[in-house]
Amino acid sequence: MLVLVDCNSCYASCEQIFRPDLRGRPVVVLSNNDGFVVARSKEAKLLGIGDLEPFFKVQHLLRAHRVAIFSSNYPLYGDISHRVMTTLREFGPNVEVYSIDEMFLDLHGLQEDWSDYGRKIRNTLWRNIRMPVGVGIAPSKTLAKLANRAAKKIPKCDGVCALDTPEKWQWMQRRTAVNDVWGIGRRLTKRLADFGIETAYDLAQANPKILRRRINVNIERTIEELNGIPCLGLEEEPPAKKQIYCTRSFGEKLTGLPPILQAATLYASRAAEKLRAQKSLVKSIHVFLHTSPHEPNYYSCSVVVQTPYPTDDTRVIVRLVREAIADLYRPGCRFMKAGVGLIEIIPRALGQRDLFTPGQSLRAGQTMQAMDRINKKFGRGTLFLGAEGIQKKWKMRQAFTSPAYTTRWGDLPRVVT
Amino acid sequence: MKLSPLYGHGIACGFPSPADDHKEAALSLDEHLISKPAATFMARANGDSMMGLGIFDKDLLIVDRSLTPAHGDVVVVALDGQLTCKVLDQQQGRLLSANDDYAPIPIWEGQELIVEGVVKASVRYHRPR
């Protein structure tokens, strides 16, 4: 059996863990730069606050209903997600971290009363971490997704749904539109409608061979999975990223080149750090810069630059990015956002040397390693390139950030004694 | 939540150290104080009501959510929306302070008492940090 555990309104729930006064109250979390609403507690959803609403549009509603507002606090969310994962491993060693708030757990070979077992998982996560979750249990990933959806949508399920027999999953499939099946997007839904397939049940009963020929091999897998035959295994090691992007909006619109260069330096450094963490080298870099599309004279431009040799050296990457940004910059424009993407990435082990150009020096690699180790030990940003600037005025707006309760000594929760 | 090991030495070359064969795993305060890291959080005490039990203002509390609270445990509860540290008196249904200046807090019947975790240990600093 496979279990899919999904944290309810993950970020909003994280904000409630050390704030019992916020439990049962409307809470929202805003995206980077406080732009959009990215998480809403159940109570906030009931107020009619939609997903991804621009903050400025719903601000009056939030204030009127005294909704607790938070900027994204990734140190906290990352730690809580890690705690959820660690706790899940007590139930079975094979865990796939699908995203920060979703995890698959493989309980192959175990015989249990699955509803009871799901409840046990749910209660443990609530008790040990104070994270409310939905638990879906089924023999395949696609069915587990379906079960998880039911766990959340059907009040009687109370957060746990086990689709462990064909009768149960077929009952559910008859009541599920095909576009709610995992991996069936809008375009595919339209194509399936041409075959008269409207519900998940229709799809499960369709001939996989025919649809494979007409559509693709993935649809065949989905059909098998809907019939309880697992085709998608657990990916315990996340595959190395093929592209690494670091893009952000500035806290305020920027017209001068120096602060934009500083911001781009930081984005490039972050991307390089991630590149080294996954033991890769980069061969080409995408750099872009644009103004707000909502303002007149929208200006957007981008360029791809090649590195002289496959590299993971922050200094090389930053130099190229800064040159590119200086090229893209136009005086007089009010720039809103810049981005750096490492787009052509190869594993470090395959970093081929060229006969005519020397590759990255051993010393450069060691310097970067030392930098990463220091930053890991003493906290991110302990060592950084001076080109980032000391006072980062262009930094993201994060007006409502909560303390990093579990990762910073100075931010520990206070307990009244 | 990793504390440094209490020893760590390197031997450059030459004779192998005769002590190597007797080397044991380093002592870890983490392991000593924390049995379930994922269910444990640290907090800062704020106030003087628990002085009688040696918990002073600004002390570090190590709180385990996975433990089932028992009579007499020092617990962190959610009281009036605040995290509060008290002694659990299950027999008389009360929360007690360890300071005579504070009266016991009765738990009325039907009132839901939310225990956030059991305080496993507290850490005192004997030099100002």
Side-chain angles (χ1 to χ4, degrees), chain A residues 17-21 23 82-84 86-87 90 126-130 405-406 409-410 412-417, chain B residues 36-50 60 65-66 68 78 81-85 114-116:
Chain A
I17 290 177
F18 296 103
R19 290 281 308 269
D21 59 312
R23 294 187 198 144
H82 182 72
R83 284 166 185 255
V84 172
T86 312
T87 307
E90 290 169 18
W126 174 253
R127 190 171 102 152
N128 289 8
I129 304 167
R130 286 288 189 267
Y405 294 108
T406 54
W409 289 107
L412 294 183
R414 305 216 159 261
V415 170
V416 179
T417 53
Chain B
K36 276 202 173 226
T40 301
F41 69 91
M42 289 189 272
R44 198 65 76 185
N46 200 347
D48 58 2
S49 81
M50 297 299 281
L60 187 69
R65 291 191 195 270
S66 70
T68 306
Q82 254 184 342
L83 297 175
T84 307
C85 177
I114 303 166
V115 177
E116 293 291 323

Side-chain angles (χ1 to χ4, degrees), chain A residues 1-5 85 87-96 103-108 117 121 136 138 234:
Chain A
M1 277 297 166
L2 281 174
V3 182
L4 174 59
V5 174
M85 258 153 38
T87 307
L88 277 182
R89 288 215 166 88
E90 290 169 18
F91 291 91
N94 303 327
V95 175
E96 176 190 338
M103 293 117 201
F104 283 106
L105 177 65
D106 187 356
L107 297 178
H108 193 77
Y117 204 69
I121 293 176
L234 224 55

Side-chain angles (χ1 to χ4, degrees), chain A residues 175-197:
Chain A
R175 286 154 186 80
T176 307
V178 74
N179 63 326
D180 286 326
V181 172
W182 195 34
I184 306 289
R186 205 179 305 160
R187 262 175 46 202
L188 203 50
T189 305
K190 269 193 196 153
R191 291 222 39 203
L192 290 171
D194 296 339
F195 295 97
I197 294 172

Side-chain angles (χ1 to χ4, degrees), chain A residues 80-388:
Chain A
I80 298 300
S81 166
H82 182 72
R83 284 166 185 255
V84 172
M85 258 153 38
T86 312
T87 307
L88 277 182
R89 288 215 166 88
E90 290 169 18
F91 291 91
N94 303 327
V95 175
E96 176 190 338
V97 180
Y98 185 65
S99 66
I100 192 166
D101 60 350
E102 273 181 284
M103 293 117 201
F104 283 106
L105 177 65
D106 187 356
L107 297 178
H108 193 77
L110 221 64
Q111 286 291 336
E112 291 286 341
D113 177 322
W114 292 110
S115 294
D116 275 0
Y117 204 69
R119 217 155 291 286
K120 200 169 148 194
I121 293 176
R122 189 167 185 267
N123 292 341
T124 306
L125 289 173
W126 174 253
R127 190 171 102 152
N128 289 8
I129 304 167
R130 286 288 189 267
M131 175 52 76
V133 298
V135 179
I137 305 179
S140 69
K141 274 185 163 178
T142 308
L143 282 177
K145 271 270 186 188
L146 205 65
N148 190 282
R149 201 174 158 272
K152 283 191 171 175
K153 297 242 168 198
I154 302 175
K156 219 180 127 190
C157 286
D158 195 22
V160 178
C161 173
L163 298 179
D164 48 354
T165 63
E167 294 74 38
K168 287 187 196 165
W169 69 63
Q170 284 172 5
W171 184 91
M172 192 60 67
Q173 285 167 355
R174 287 197 178 91
R175 286 154 186 80
T176 307
V178 74
N179 63 326
D180 286 326
V181 172
W182 195 34
I184 306 289
R186 205 179 305 160
R187 262 175 46 202
L188 203 50
T189 305
K190 269 193 196 153
R191 291 222 39 203
L192 290 171
D194 296 339
F195 295 97
I197 294 172
E198 305 280 344
T199 66
Y201 182 76
D202 297 339
L203 183 59
Q205 300 306 312
N207 185 325
K209 297 284 172 244
I210 293 177
L211 283 190
R212 176 193 175 139
R213 259 200 321 259
R214 298 284 186 86
I215 299 175
N216 59 31
V217 64
N218 294 334
I219 196 82
E220 183 187 18
R221 285 201 198 119
T222 301
I223 295 172
E224 301 281 18
E225 286 244 319
L226 281 175
N227 286 296
I229 303 158
C231 300
L232 305 166
L234 224 55
E235 289 173 18
E236 285 165 61
E237 277 288 314
K241 288 202 176 73
K242 293 190 180 113
Q243 297 190 331
I244 298 172
Y245 267 85
C246 186
T247 82
R248 308 242 168 97
S249 298
F250 310 127
E252 54 192 61
K253 307 271 174 9
L254 297 176
T255 50
L257 180 59
I260 299 177
L261 283 177
Q262 287 183 0
T265 304
L266 172 71
Y267 304 163
S269 305
R270 281 269 191 284
E273 217 174 87
K274 287 183 187 164
L275 185 72
R276 290 193 294 274
Q278 68 167 37
K279 297 190 173 61
S280 305
L281 301 172
V282 64
K283 289 167 76 179
S284 54
I285 307 169
H286 177 210
V287 183
F288 67 84
L289 184 62
H290 63 79
T291 63
S292 166
H294 304 295
E295 284 184 11
N297 303 325
Y298 172 57
Y299 171 69
S300 158
C301 50
S302 75
V303 64
V304 173
V305 290
Q306 306 290 327
T307 59
Y309 45 81
T311 183
D312 61 3
D313 187 336
T314 298
R315 296 161 303 176
V316 176
I317 296 169
V318 161
R319 183 161 43 80
L320 293 168
V321 167
R322 287 173 69 94
E323 283 167 14
I325 287 284
D327 271 352
L328 300 177
Y329 173 75
R330 294 284 174 276
C333 290
R334 284 161 45 82
F335 288 103
M336 184 184 90
K337 192 174 187 176
V340 172
L342 308 181
I343 49 174
E344 208 183 332
I345 289 176
I346 56 167
R348 193 186 285 160
L350 300 182
Q352 225 174 44
R353 296 291 180 89
D354 189 302
L355 186 59
F356 303 105
T357 43
Q360 177 164 297
S361 70
L362 198 62
R363 224 182 138 76
Q366 286 167 343
T367 309
M368 287 302 117
Q369 262 183 29
M371 190 159 139
D372 288 343
R373 270 207 300 268
I374 290 170
N375 282 334
K376 197 170 172 198
K377 189 163 175 189
F378 297 103
R380 175 177 267 175
T382 304
L383 266 192
F384 60 92
L385 297 191
E388 275 177 28

